[in-house]
Amino acid sequence: MSLYAQFHDIDSVIRVINTLEKPHTIAWNLIIKSHLDLGLFDSALLFYKTMRHLGVAHDSFTFPIVNQAVLSLQSDVIYGEMVHCVSTKMGFGFEVYFCNTMIEVYLKCGCVVYARKLFDEMSQRDLVSWTSMISGYVCGGSVGSAFYLFREMMVKSEPNSVTLIIMLQACCASESLIHGMQLHGYAIKSGLESDGSLQNLVLKMYTRTGSVEEVEIFFSKINRKDDVSWNILISFYSMKGDIEKLVNRFSEMQGIAALSIETLTLLISAFAKSRDLFQGEQIHCLAIKSGFCDDVLLTSLLDFYAKCGKIEISDQLFRKISYRNNVTFGAMMSSFVQNGYVKDAINLFHRMQAANVEPGAEILRSILDAYTQLGALQLEKHESTKLEAIKHYAKDLKVSDLNGNEEVYFPTEREVKMMGDQNHSDPRPVDGALSLALIRLAYDKPSYSCIALFCDRMDTVFYRVRLLQNRLNVNPSVEEKWVSGMGAIHESLNRKCLPLCSDHINDLYTGKITLQDIDCTSFVDVD
């Protein structure tokens, strides 16, 4: 049976067990484990159910195997609690091997408190017990608890390279250089520094918390630099924005370590940040030449070309991506928005919804930017049309400020009223049912200061406020046809005049400021 199991011949394993009159515990453990190794988790649990139904005795390996099935199914913690309860009743609840697997089940289900309770109740703990519990704290974001437990472990047990790797991950998460350097010192003292994975984690720790000099010194001390080591260094230079060193290190790497798709992706992302089209195209050619191509790399290339203004190439790359998730859609949507193709971004968002892809935070930001830009374009079109209408009906009224500089055309009240009676299209403003008109007055009284907030200029001109009905073919002087409730607003502002400097009158007409930016208590009555 063991031989067949090693070759994953599950049918032969079943045939052998069927020939046994009373299969023993080891045989049942083996057949359950064989199904687990092939990913047949449901079948594994069914065999365990049959084993229980037949009253087959359990041993110290049975429940750890069952826990593997529970972990693989990613089921609710209640199933783990059931296994824990049954194992305790059968007398296996406090064996170290079983408790270690039980701690892992609780941690994977997010029940750190349950795992710690079991850990504290264990009469004996081995290296796996300590490391599993520390790893649970680190993965759960409780870095302080991880360090506290690690210090306790140092008194009662001796950490290995796996424990140190987990603790270095905690240092990277908390960006604690002091603790990281202490762990590095312990690794040197205990002879564990030669572990390649540990060296890479120490390097990563220095890239997160140390200086450029510290990173380069430690990198030079790594005897066997693999592609992971180089990728960490390349990522560090990318984060610092040092493209020259990044390119030099990559050239050095090509003669030492094997090229990987992860390295190319990191390089493309770095050149996207710096918008270095030449270097990025070089890496794209290298990727094609090397035969490296996956959806992650294509997405990075898509983003790179978009940031360099090559939106057509980005679109072509997007079409080549076989599996489009929210990251892919988000990158393309952001590319459209960055280059001003807001309608294409909105259309792509609708396509993504039709494909039942859930939008992430980045996509929601992009679509919000798209609609904001689209709204700004429509508002700009509205203001442009309005100014054209004013010029059309007041082409003989050129207005100059006190310095003789020509301002925009302003109509008389009669001409403004005529605008509503013509067939000229005046788009509906976005801020209400009434449209504002300011009529310049010929007024020779002493100057008033500009009533725009935080402006004290005295070179002002008087303008009369008029609110106009926004419907075509409606005479604004006929109060009966006003929008309900707007009569009081019109009456409160009618014939009010405001002194404004040349800058703020233009800002008011172009929408840069509104009446909320004006001190309305300083309005002036003019007969």
Side-chain angles (χ1 to χ4, degrees):
M1 284 180 63
S2 299
L3 179 63
Y4 288 131
Q6 288 177 7
F7 287 97
H8 303 298
D9 188 353
I10 195 70
D11 293 331
S12 297
V13 173
I14 294 173
R15 279 197 298 270
V16 172
I17 201 171
N18 286 334
T19 61
L20 301 176
E21 184 177 349
K22 288 185 178 181
H24 46 73
T25 304
I26 296 176
W28 281 103
N29 289 347
L30 184 61
I31 196 168
I32 295 170
K33 184 71 167 57
S34 299
H35 281 80
L36 283 176
D37 292 341
L38 292 173
L40 305 172
F41 311 123
D42 292 324
S43 298
L45 289 176
L46 283 174
F47 272 101
Y48 173 69
K49 183 179 179 181
T50 304
M51 176 183 177
R52 288 268 297 158
H53 179 72
L54 296 175
V56 179
H58 292 41
D59 62 14
S60 57
F61 295 100
T62 305
F63 286 110
I65 293 172
V66 174
N67 272 339
Q68 289 182 37
V70 174
L71 279 170
S72 300
L73 287 171
Q74 297 181 343
S75 53
D76 192 85
V77 69
I78 190 172
Y79 295 103
E81 289 179 305
M82 290 169 59
V83 174
H84 193 183
C85 182
V86 173
S87 65
T88 303
K89 287 183 177 179
M90 290 190 173
F92 299 101
F94 293 100
E95 291 196 0
V96 175
Y97 181 35
F98 166 74
C99 286
N100 289 341
T101 60
M102 200 70 245
I103 287 173
E104 188 178 2
V105 169
Y106 283 139
L107 291 174
K108 286 290 177 66
C109 294
C111 299
V112 181
V113 175
Y114 290 2
R116 183 56 192 263
K117 184 175 182 296
L118 177 57
F119 177 83
D120 290 338
E121 291 173 349
M122 293 173 66
S123 56
Q124 289 183 316
R125 305 184 189 104
D126 60 9
L127 187 60
V128 176
S129 313
W130 289 97
T131 304
S132 297
M133 196 64 237
I134 291 170
S135 176
Y137 279 132
V138 173
C139 294
S142 301
V143 177
S145 299
F147 275 107
Y148 183 84
L149 192 61
F150 179 74
R151 284 192 289 269
E152 186 181 341
M153 177 187 182
M154 296 276 288
V155 177
K156 300 179 180 180
S157 183
E158 186 174 342
N160 64 359
S161 59
V162 177
T163 315
L164 291 180
I165 286 172
I166 292 169
M167 290 307 302
L168 284 167
Q169 290 173 346
C171 291
C172 290
S174 62
E175 297 188 351
S176 175
L177 178 61
I178 295 176
H179 288 112
M181 293 179 71
Q182 289 175 348
L183 289 168
H184 184 197
Y186 179 84
I188 296 172
K189 183 179 178 180
S190 57
L192 299 172
E193 192 190 22
S194 59
D195 184 282
S197 298
L198 182 62
Q199 286 182 330
N200 288 335
L201 254 297
V202 172
L203 176 63
K204 186 176 181 181
M205 183 270 299
Y206 280 120
T207 62
R208 293 286 182 88
T209 59
S211 64
V212 175
E213 184 181 4
E214 287 172 324
V215 171
E216 292 181 339
I217 288 174
F218 183 75
F219 181 79
S220 65
K221 291 180 179 179
I222 299 177
N223 296 325
R224 294 187 299 275
K225 301 178 180 70
D226 56 13
D227 60 327
V228 176
S229 313
W230 287 99
N231 287 347
I232 293 171
L233 190 66
I234 288 171
S235 179
F236 172 71
Y237 287 130
S238 173
M239 180 180 64
K240 293 292 184 182
D242 194 337
I243 300 301
E244 183 179 354
K245 279 191 176 181
L246 183 147
V247 172
N248 291 337
R249 286 294 193 175
F250 176 64
S251 300
E252 182 183 345
M253 170 192 174
Q254 287 182 285
I256 299 173
L259 188 65
S260 68
I261 199 165
E262 289 79 12
T263 307
L264 296 177
T265 303
L266 286 170
L267 289 166
I268 288 294
S269 299
F271 296 136
K273 290 179 185 177
S274 63
R275 288 169 171 75
D276 192 328
L277 181 61
F278 174 76
Q279 293 289 355
E281 286 179 330
Q282 295 287 99
I283 299 301
H284 191 183
C285 291
L286 181 60
I288 295 171
K289 183 179 178 181
S290 305
F292 289 121
C293 183
D294 68 355
D295 290 346
V296 176
L297 179 59
L298 287 174
T299 302
S300 297
L301 284 166
L302 179 160
D303 180 61
F304 160 72
Y305 281 112
K307 286 189 167 115
C308 293
K310 303 289 185 180
I311 192 66
E312 299 85 1
I313 302 178
S314 295
D315 192 33
Q316 292 172 8
L317 291 167
F318 178 77
R319 298 174 190 278
K320 289 182 180 180
I321 297 174
S322 55
Y323 174 69
R324 297 169 187 164
N325 54 19
N326 58 1
V327 176
T328 313
F329 276 103
M332 192 67 235
M333 207 172 298
S334 177
S335 301
F336 279 136
V337 174
Q338 288 169 14
N339 289 275
Y341 296 89
V342 291
K343 290 185 178 180
D344 293 291
I346 293 170
N347 291 335
L348 184 62
F349 180 72
H350 293 318
R351 285 170 55 191
M352 184 197 74
Q353 288 180 309
N356 295 319
V357 177
E358 287 292 327
E362 190 65 34
I363 290 177
L364 295 177
R365 279 193 292 269
S366 293
I367 197 64
L368 180 61
D369 288 344
Y371 276 113
T372 301
Q373 288 187 34
L374 186 61
L377 289 172
Q378 290 175 344
L379 182 58
E380 182 181 349
K381 181 181 178 183
H382 162 66
E383 295 296 341
S384 175
T385 306
K386 193 172 214 176
L387 289 175
E388 287 299 320
I390 291 172
K391 289 180 182 180
H392 176 74
Y393 289 108
K395 49 185 174 292
D396 295 327
L397 298 177
K398 294 184 178 180
V399 181
S400 300
D401 61 18
L402 295 178
N403 298 320
N405 299 318
E406 186 175 302
E407 293 182 346
V408 295
Y409 294 95
F410 292 100
T412 64
E413 290 192 42
R414 177 177 173 277
E415 287 168 323
V416 170
K417 292 175 182 178
M418 288 173 57
M419 289 171 59
D421 295 329
Q422 302 298 321
N423 292 324
H424 189 90
S425 175
D426 186 21
R428 181 181 182 87
V430 296
D431 56 350
L434 295 179
S435 179
L436 178 80
L438 295 176
I439 312 303
R440 177 169 178 157
L441 300 180
Y443 193 66
D444 57 359
K445 296 292 183 183
S447 297
Y448 287 79
S449 64
C450 178
I451 64 172
L453 298 178
F454 309 111
C455 182
D456 56 1
R457 286 177 59 177
M458 298 297 292
D459 53 335
T460 57
V461 176
F462 272 96
Y463 297 90
R464 175 177 289 159
V465 177
R466 294 286 285 169
L467 293 178
L468 304 177
Q469 184 72 17
N470 191 50
R471 299 175 184 170
L472 295 179
N473 302 318
V474 174
N475 189 336
S477 65
V478 181
E479 296 187 20
E480 291 77 11
K481 294 187 178 181
W482 288 354
V483 174
S484 177
M486 291 296 175
I489 298 175
H490 183 279
E491 195 62 34
S492 67
L493 294 174
N494 189 33
R495 300 186 64 79
K496 298 295 184 185
C497 293
L498 36 101
L500 288 167
C501 65
S502 57
D503 289 337
H504 285 111
I505 186 62
N506 287 331
D507 288 346
L508 192 59
Y509 257 91
T510 56
K512 293 180 180 177
I513 63 173
T514 67
L515 289 178
Q516 292 178 343
D517 303 300
I518 290 175
D519 182 8
C520 295
T521 62
S522 300
F523 279 5
V524 180
D525 287 316
V526 177
D527 294 331

